[in-house]
Amino acid sequence: MVKPPLQTRDRLLDAANRLFYAEGIRAVSVDAVAAKAGVTKRTLYYHFRSKDDLIEAYLSSRDQPNLNAFKSWFEEADGPLAGRIAAIFAGVAKAAKSPKWKGCGFLRTAAELANMPGHPAIKIGAAHKKRFESWLTDILRNENIEEPELLARQIVLLMDGAFSTMLVHRDPAYIETAGLAAASLVEAGLREI
């Protein structure tokens, strides 16, 4: 029995997710993605016009799961706002302890495509980062923090800087330290009101 196209597309996206995240988008061929999904290259091209379309779909598929993880870590944390913000960083630190962890897929893809600023994947990565920043801004605004946009941007910079530093040193302690810095910024923002 032939599987419906949606299932095939999902298998291709799953294969692309695993391979692109583990090895990088430039290192992985469409042949490898098709083989991992158990389909022909022709079938892959039936669902995705090009490798660039597949890369775009790969990043799009990571957007909500990543944002949902951040939201979950925040919402599951007890205590004051600063501690709940730090919990996001602690969640990333816990994930980074896995041998399968390879950093932020959005940042890694942006680095691989740095010479192609108009690439759709760059735009998806930028939109993902902006959604995270907007979500933080809303949280901070609801807590009556002065200049919530500025503080949200500072937290994003701490997060992305820690992602980069962890890739260099392979040490989750960097993101834990960034979480402490973010918590300190939040506490300072609360005291100013």
Coordinates of all heavy atoms in Angstrom, one line a residue, residues 72-132:
S72 N 7.6 26.3 28.1 CA 7.4 25.2 29.1 C 8.3 25.4 30.2 O 7.9 25.3 31.4 CB 7.5 23.9 28.4 OG 7.4 22.9 29.3
W73 N 9.6 25.6 29.9 CA 10.6 25.8 31.0 C 10.3 27.0 31.9 O 10.4 26.9 33.1 CB 12.0 25.9 30.5 CG 12.5 24.6 29.8 CD1 12.2 23.4 30.1 CD2 13.4 24.6 28.7 NE1 12.9 22.5 29.3 CE2 13.6 23.2 28.4 CE3 14.0 25.5 27.8 CZ2 14.4 22.8 27.3 CZ3 14.8 25.1 26.8 CH2 15.0 23.7 26.5
F74 N 9.8 28.0 31.3 CA 9.4 29.2 32.0 C 8.2 29.0 32.9 O 8.2 29.3 34.0 CB 9.1 30.4 31.0 CG 8.6 31.6 31.6 CD1 9.5 32.5 32.2 CD2 7.2 31.9 31.7 CE1 9.0 33.7 32.8 CE2 6.8 33.1 32.3 CZ 7.7 34.0 32.9
E75 N 7.2 28.4 32.3 CA 5.9 28.2 33.0 C 6.0 27.1 34.1 O 5.3 27.2 35.1 CB 4.8 27.8 32.0 CG 4.4 28.9 31.1 CD 3.6 28.5 29.9 OE1 3.2 27.3 29.7 OE2 3.3 29.4 29.0
E76 N 6.9 26.1 33.9 CA 7.0 25.1 34.9 C 7.9 25.5 36.1 O 7.8 24.9 37.2 CB 7.6 23.8 34.3 CG 6.7 23.1 33.3 CD 7.3 22.0 32.5 OE1 8.5 21.7 32.8 OE2 6.7 21.5 31.7
A77 N 8.6 26.6 36.0 CA 9.4 27.1 37.1 C 8.6 27.8 38.1 O 7.6 28.5 37.8 CB 10.5 28.1 36.5
D78 N 8.9 27.6 39.4 CA 8.3 28.3 40.5 C 9.0 29.5 40.8 O 10.2 29.7 40.5 CB 8.2 27.4 41.7 CG 7.2 26.2 41.5 OD1 6.2 26.3 40.8 OD2 7.5 25.1 42.0
G79 N 8.4 30.4 41.6 CA 9.1 31.5 42.1 C 8.9 32.8 41.3 O 8.1 32.9 40.4
P80 N 9.8 33.8 41.6 CA 9.7 35.1 41.0 C 10.1 35.1 39.6 O 10.7 34.1 39.1 CB 10.7 35.9 41.9 CG 11.7 35.0 42.4 CD 10.9 33.7 42.6
L81 N 9.9 36.1 38.9 CA 10.1 36.3 37.5 C 11.6 36.0 37.1 O 11.9 35.3 36.1 CB 9.7 37.7 37.0 CG 10.0 38.0 35.5 CD1 9.2 37.1 34.6 CD2 9.7 39.5 35.2
A82 N 12.5 36.5 37.9 CA 13.9 36.3 37.5 C 14.3 34.8 37.5 O 15.0 34.4 36.6 CB 14.8 37.1 38.6
G83 N 13.8 34.1 38.4 CA 14.1 32.7 38.5 C 13.4 31.9 37.3 O 14.0 30.9 36.8
R84 N 12.2 32.4 36.9 CA 11.6 31.7 35.8 C 12.3 32.0 34.5 O 12.4 31.1 33.6 CB 10.1 32.1 35.7 CG 9.3 31.5 36.9 CD 7.8 31.9 36.9 NE 7.7 33.3 37.2 CZ 6.7 34.1 36.7 NH1 5.9 33.6 35.9 NH2 6.7 35.3 37.0
I85 N 12.9 33.2 34.3 CA 13.7 33.5 33.2 C 14.9 32.7 33.2 O 15.3 32.1 32.2 CB 14.0 35.0 33.1 CG1 12.8 35.9 32.9 CG2 15.1 35.3 32.0 CD1 12.1 35.7 31.5
A86 N 15.6 32.5 34.3 CA 16.8 31.7 34.5 C 16.5 30.2 34.1 O 17.3 29.5 33.6 CB 17.4 31.8 35.9
A87 N 15.2 29.8 34.4 CA 14.8 28.4 34.1 C 14.9 28.1 32.6 O 15.1 27.0 32.3 CB 13.4 28.2 34.7
I88 N 14.7 29.1 31.8 CA 14.8 28.9 30.3 C 16.2 28.5 30.0 O 16.5 27.5 29.3 CB 14.4 30.1 29.6 CG1 12.9 30.5 29.9 CG2 14.6 29.9 28.1 CD1 12.5 31.9 29.4
F89 N 17.2 29.2 30.6 CA 18.6 28.9 30.4 C 19.0 27.6 31.0 O 19.7 26.8 30.4 CB 19.4 30.0 31.0 CG 19.3 31.4 30.3 CD1 18.2 32.2 30.4 CD2 20.3 31.8 29.4 CE1 18.2 33.4 29.8 CE2 20.3 33.0 28.7 CZ 19.2 33.8 28.9
A90 N 18.4 27.3 32.1 CA 18.7 26.0 32.8 C 18.1 24.8 31.9 O 18.8 23.8 31.8 CB 18.0 25.9 34.2
G91 N 17.0 25.0 31.2 CA 16.5 24.0 30.3 C 17.4 23.8 29.2 O 17.6 22.6 28.8
V92 N 17.9 24.8 28.6 CA 18.9 24.7 27.5 C 20.1 24.0 28.0 O 20.7 23.1 27.3 CB 19.2 26.1 26.9 CG1 20.3 25.9 25.8 CG2 18.0 26.7 26.3
A93 N 20.6 24.3 29.2 CA 21.8 23.7 29.8 C 21.6 22.2 29.9 O 22.4 21.4 29.6 CB 22.1 24.3 31.1
K94 N 20.4 21.8 30.4 CA 20.1 20.4 30.5 C 20.1 19.7 29.2 O 20.6 18.6 29.0 CB 18.7 20.2 31.2 CG 18.3 18.8 31.5 CD 17.0 18.7 32.2 CE 16.7 17.2 32.4 NZ 15.4 17.1 33.1
A95 N 19.5 20.3 28.2 CA 19.4 19.7 26.8 C 20.8 19.6 26.2 O 21.2 18.7 25.5 CB 18.5 20.6 25.9
A96 N 21.7 20.6 26.6 CA 23.0 20.7 26.0 C 23.9 19.6 26.6 O 25.0 19.3 26.0 CB 23.7 22.0 26.3
K97 N 23.5 18.9 27.6 CA 24.3 17.8 28.2 C 24.2 16.5 27.4 O 24.9 15.6 27.6 CB 23.9 17.6 29.7 CG 24.4 18.8 30.5 CD 23.9 18.7 32.0 CE 24.3 20.0 32.7 NZ 23.8 20.0 34.1
S98 N 23.2 16.5 26.5 CA 23.0 15.3 25.7 C 24.1 15.3 24.6 O 24.4 16.3 24.0 CB 21.6 15.4 25.0 OG 21.6 14.4 23.9
P99 N 24.6 14.1 24.3 CA 25.6 14.0 23.3 C 25.1 14.3 21.9 O 25.8 14.7 21.0 CB 26.1 12.5 23.3 CG 25.3 11.8 24.3 CD 24.4 12.8 25.0
K100 N 23.8 14.3 21.7 CA 23.1 14.7 20.4 C 23.0 16.2 20.2 O 22.7 16.6 19.2 CB 21.8 14.0 20.3 CG 21.9 12.5 20.2 CD 20.5 11.9 20.0 CE 20.6 10.4 19.9 NZ 19.3 9.8 19.7
W101 N 23.2 17.0 21.3 CA 23.0 18.4 21.2 C 24.1 19.0 20.4 O 25.3 18.8 20.6 CB 23.0 19.0 22.6 CG 22.6 20.4 22.7 CD1 21.3 20.9 22.7 CD2 23.4 21.6 22.6 NE1 21.3 22.3 22.7 CE2 22.6 22.7 22.7 CE3 24.8 21.8 22.6 CZ2 23.1 24.0 22.7 CZ3 25.3 23.0 22.6 CH2 24.5 24.2 22.6
K102 N 23.7 19.8 19.4 CA 24.6 20.5 18.5 C 24.4 22.0 18.5 O 24.9 22.7 17.5 CB 24.4 20.0 17.1 CG 24.5 18.5 16.9 CD 25.9 18.0 17.1 CE 26.0 16.5 16.8 NZ 27.2 15.9 17.3
G103 N 23.7 22.6 19.5 CA 23.6 24.0 19.5 C 22.2 24.4 18.9 O 21.3 23.6 18.7
C104 N 22.1 25.7 18.6 CA 20.9 26.3 18.0 C 20.9 26.1 16.5 O 21.8 26.6 15.8 CB 20.9 27.8 18.4 SG 19.5 28.6 17.6
G105 N 20.0 25.3 16.0 CA 19.9 25.0 14.6 C 19.7 26.3 13.8 O 20.2 26.4 12.6
F106 N 19.1 27.3 14.3 CA 18.9 28.5 13.6 C 20.2 29.3 13.5 O 20.5 29.8 12.4 CB 17.8 29.4 14.3 CG 16.5 28.8 14.4 CD1 16.1 28.1 15.5 CD2 15.6 28.9 13.3 CE1 14.8 27.5 15.5 CE2 14.4 28.3 13.3 CZ 14.0 27.6 14.5
L107 N 21.0 29.4 14.5 CA 22.3 30.1 14.5 C 23.3 29.3 13.6 O 24.0 29.9 12.8 CB 22.8 30.2 15.9 CG 22.1 31.2 16.8 CD1 22.7 31.2 18.2 CD2 22.0 32.6 16.2
R108 N 23.3 28.0 13.7 CA 24.2 27.2 12.9 C 23.9 27.3 11.4 O 24.8 27.5 10.6 CB 24.1 25.7 13.3 CG 24.8 25.5 14.7 CD 24.8 24.1 15.2 NE 25.3 23.2 14.2 CZ 24.8 22.0 13.8 NH1 23.7 21.6 14.4 NH2 25.4 21.3 12.9
T109 N 22.6 27.3 11.1 CA 22.2 27.5 9.7 C 22.6 28.9 9.2 O 23.1 29.1 8.1 CB 20.7 27.2 9.5 OG1 20.4 25.9 9.9 CG2 20.3 27.4 8.1
A110 N 22.3 29.9 10.0 CA 22.7 31.3 9.6 C 24.2 31.4 9.4 O 24.7 32.1 8.5 CB 22.3 32.3 10.7
A111 N 25.0 30.7 10.2 CA 26.5 30.7 10.0 C 26.8 30.0 8.7 O 27.7 30.5 8.0 CB 27.2 30.0 11.2
E112 N 26.2 28.9 8.4 CA 26.5 28.2 7.2 C 26.1 29.0 5.9 O 26.7 28.9 4.9 CB 25.8 26.9 7.1 CG 26.5 25.8 8.1 CD 26.0 24.4 7.8 OE1 26.3 23.9 6.7 OE2 25.4 23.8 8.6
L113 N 25.1 29.8 6.1 CA 24.5 30.6 5.0 C 24.9 32.1 5.1 O 24.2 33.0 4.5 CB 23.0 30.5 4.9 CG 22.5 29.0 4.6 CD1 21.0 29.0 4.7 CD2 23.0 28.5 3.3
A114 N 25.9 32.4 5.8 CA 26.3 33.8 6.1 C 26.5 34.6 4.8 O 26.3 35.8 4.7 CB 27.5 33.9 6.9
N115 N 27.0 33.9 3.7 CA 27.2 34.7 2.5 C 25.9 34.7 1.6 O 26.0 35.2 0.5 CB 28.3 34.0 1.7 CG 27.9 32.5 1.3 OD1 27.1 31.9 1.9 ND2 28.5 32.1 0.2
M116 N 24.8 34.3 2.1 CA 23.5 34.4 1.4 C 22.5 35.0 2.3 O 21.5 34.4 2.7 CB 23.1 32.9 1.1 CG 24.1 32.2 0.2 SD 23.7 30.4 0.0 CE 22.3 30.6 -1.1
P117 N 22.6 36.3 2.6 CA 21.7 37.0 3.5 C 20.2 36.9 3.1 O 19.3 37.0 4.0 CB 22.2 38.4 3.6 CG 23.1 38.6 2.4 CD 23.6 37.2 2.0
G118 N 19.9 36.8 1.8 CA 18.5 36.8 1.4 C 17.9 35.4 1.4 O 16.7 35.2 1.0
H119 N 18.7 34.4 1.8 CA 18.2 33.0 1.8 C 16.9 32.9 2.7 O 16.9 33.4 3.8 CB 19.3 32.0 2.2 CG 19.0 30.6 2.0 ND1 18.1 29.9 2.7 CD2 19.5 29.8 1.0 CE1 18.0 28.6 2.2 NE2 18.9 28.5 1.2
P120 N 15.9 32.1 2.2 CA 14.7 32.0 3.0 C 15.0 31.4 4.4 O 14.3 31.8 5.4 CB 13.8 31.0 2.2 CG 14.3 31.1 0.8 CD 15.8 31.5 0.9
A121 N 16.0 30.6 4.6 CA 16.3 30.0 5.9 C 16.8 31.1 6.8 O 16.5 31.0 8.0 CB 17.3 28.9 5.7
I122 N 17.5 32.1 6.3 CA 18.0 33.2 7.2 C 16.8 34.0 7.7 O 16.7 34.3 8.8 CB 18.9 34.1 6.4 CG1 20.2 33.3 5.9 CG2 19.3 35.3 7.2 CD1 21.1 32.9 7.0
K123 N 15.8 34.2 6.8 CA 14.6 34.9 7.2 C 13.8 34.1 8.2 O 13.3 34.7 9.2 CB 13.8 35.2 5.9 CG 14.4 36.2 5.0 CD 13.6 36.4 3.7 CE 14.4 37.3 2.8 NZ 13.7 37.5 1.5
I124 N 13.7 32.8 8.1 CA 13.0 32.0 9.1 C 13.7 32.1 10.4 O 13.1 32.2 11.4 CB 12.9 30.6 8.6 CG1 11.8 30.6 7.4 CG2 12.4 29.6 9.7 CD1 11.8 29.3 6.7
G125 N 15.0 32.0 10.4 CA 15.8 32.1 11.6 C 15.6 33.4 12.3 O 15.4 33.5 13.5
A126 N 15.7 34.5 11.5 CA 15.5 35.8 12.1 C 14.1 36.0 12.7 O 13.9 36.5 13.8 CB 15.7 36.9 11.0
A127 N 13.1 35.4 12.0 CA 11.7 35.5 12.5 C 11.5 34.7 13.8 O 10.8 35.1 14.7 CB 10.7 35.0 11.4
H128 N 12.2 33.5 13.8 CA 12.2 32.7 15.1 C 12.8 33.5 16.2 O 12.2 33.6 17.3 CB 13.0 31.4 14.9 CG 13.2 30.7 16.1 ND1 12.2 29.9 16.7 CD2 14.3 30.6 16.9 CE1 12.7 29.4 17.8 NE2 13.9 29.8 18.0
K129 N 13.9 34.1 16.0 CA 14.6 34.9 17.1 C 13.7 36.1 17.5 O 13.6 36.4 18.7 CB 15.9 35.4 16.7 CG 16.9 34.2 16.4 CD 17.2 33.5 17.6 CE 18.3 32.4 17.4 NZ 18.6 31.6 18.6
K130 N 13.0 36.7 16.5 CA 12.1 37.8 16.9 C 10.9 37.4 17.6 O 10.4 38.1 18.5 CB 11.7 38.6 15.6 CG 12.7 39.5 15.0 CD 12.9 40.7 16.0 CE 13.8 41.7 15.4 NZ 14.1 42.8 16.3
R131 N 10.4 36.2 17.3 CA 9.2 35.7 18.1 C 9.6 35.4 19.5 O 8.9 35.7 20.4 CB 8.7 34.4 17.4 CG 7.7 34.7 16.3 CD 6.9 33.4 15.9 NE 7.8 32.6 15.0 CZ 8.0 32.9 13.7 NH1 7.5 33.9 13.2 NH2 8.8 32.0 13.0
F132 N 10.8 34.9 19.7 CA 11.3 34.6 21.1 C 11.4 36.0 21.8 O 11.0 36.1 23.0 CB 12.6 33.9 21.1 CG 13.2 33.6 22.4 CD1 12.5 33.0 23.4 CD2 14.5 34.1 22.7 CE1 13.1 32.7 24.7 CE2 15.1 33.9 24.0 CZ 14.4 33.2 25.0

